[in-house]
Amino acid sequence: MKQLAVFLFAALLGATAQAAEYKIDTKGAHAFIQFRIKHLGYSWLYGRFDDFDGSFFYDDKAPEKSTVNVNIDVTSLNSNHAERDKHLRSPDFLDTAKFPSASFKSTGFEPLGDGKAKLSGELTLRGVTKPITIDVTNIGGGKDPWGGYRQGFSGTTEFELKDFGIDYNLGPASQKIEMILDIEGVKI
């Protein structure tokens, strides 16, 4: 579920910056790892991971060399409902007592033009590592009012819960989870 932070990867698209390392701006709350899953096929359940960090390297002259690394504190899951969050942290789902963190490490970046790209990487969730692909859109980049330089991206991906050892039966409409990743990085 987000962790995927998934995410996280989005930070690899193009703007007009030079090659640089960026820290994901979680301190200023300018980055989000969110998820949604159908609840019994009748509505959407949304949630997020409140605590994560990471960085990305981006070179607009050679975007294929870009990299992203994200670490997620899975215990920070927040679906705005304490009892549900307790269940989602249980062995039925994320088993956060045994697997308190998740991570994403990029393995490739493919620019598609028009500010779009495909970010490939390895997501480790619940002790299982699997490849995922994130559809990335460049939101923008440039100088900020404090003398820094920022890059912003948005990404989406989806995967089967069972691929990461989550086999709790929520019905056939609730087997896939969607991740929504919005990342702003500050040049280091």
Side-chain angles (χ1 to χ4, degrees):
M1 296 156 76
K2 126 352 133 292
Q3 321 133 341
L4 325 146
V6 240
F7 16 61
L8 308 205
F9 27 58
L12 296 176
L13 277 174
T16 59
Q18 300 171 344
E21 182 85 16
Y22 293 83
K23 179 176 175 148
I24 296 173
D25 186 9
T26 55
K27 182 178 179 186
H30 295 120
F32 303 90
I33 297 174
Q34 302 168 94
F35 62 87
R36 75 179 192 163
I37 188 168
K38 286 187 178 174
H39 182 253
L40 306 174
Y42 306 132
S43 65
W44 288 103
L45 173 115
Y46 284 82
R48 66 181 185 268
F49 292 91
D50 290 334
D51 296 323
F52 62 96
D53 62 33
S55 64
F56 59 92
F57 174 82
Y58 178 73
D59 181 350
D60 66 334
K61 305 282 190 231
E64 68 281 358
K65 294 181 180 178
S66 299
T67 60
V68 177
N69 290 290
V70 177
N71 297 300
I72 302 116
D73 177 355
V74 182
T75 66
S76 72
L77 175 132
N78 184 345
S79 71
N80 203 34
H81 189 277
E83 286 302 309
R84 176 175 47 229
D85 292 351
K86 182 178 176 183
H87 189 210
L88 292 174
R89 291 182 187 110
S90 80
D92 287 343
F93 292 97
L94 295 174
D95 198 359
T96 60
K98 191 172 180 182
F99 306 105
S101 64
S103 65
F104 175 83
K105 182 174 182 169
S106 64
T107 57
F109 180 76
E110 177 187 1
L112 302 174
D114 250 3
K116 308 283 186 200
K118 295 273 186 193
L119 176 65
S120 311
E122 298 287 329
L123 173 65
T124 300
L125 174 64
R126 221 173 174 263
V128 177
T129 301
K130 296 275 187 177
I132 65 168
T133 300
I134 300 167
D135 295 320
V136 178
T137 301
N138 181 344
I139 303 302
K143 293 181 181 177
D144 64 27
W146 307 281
Y149 193 92
R150 295 173 180 260
Q151 289 284 345
F153 305 89
S154 187
T156 59
T157 190
E158 69 176 27
F159 54 86
E160 300 273 342
L161 294 175
K162 67 181 178 179
D163 290 347
F164 292 91
I166 302 169
D167 61 4
Y168 193 85
N169 185 4
L170 294 171
S174 305
Q175 300 305 306
K176 286 186 180 179
I177 187 155
E178 295 180 28
M179 300 300 301
I180 304 104
L181 313 156
D182 290 291
I183 304 299
E184 183 175 304
V186 179
K187 185 176 175 182
I188 299 174

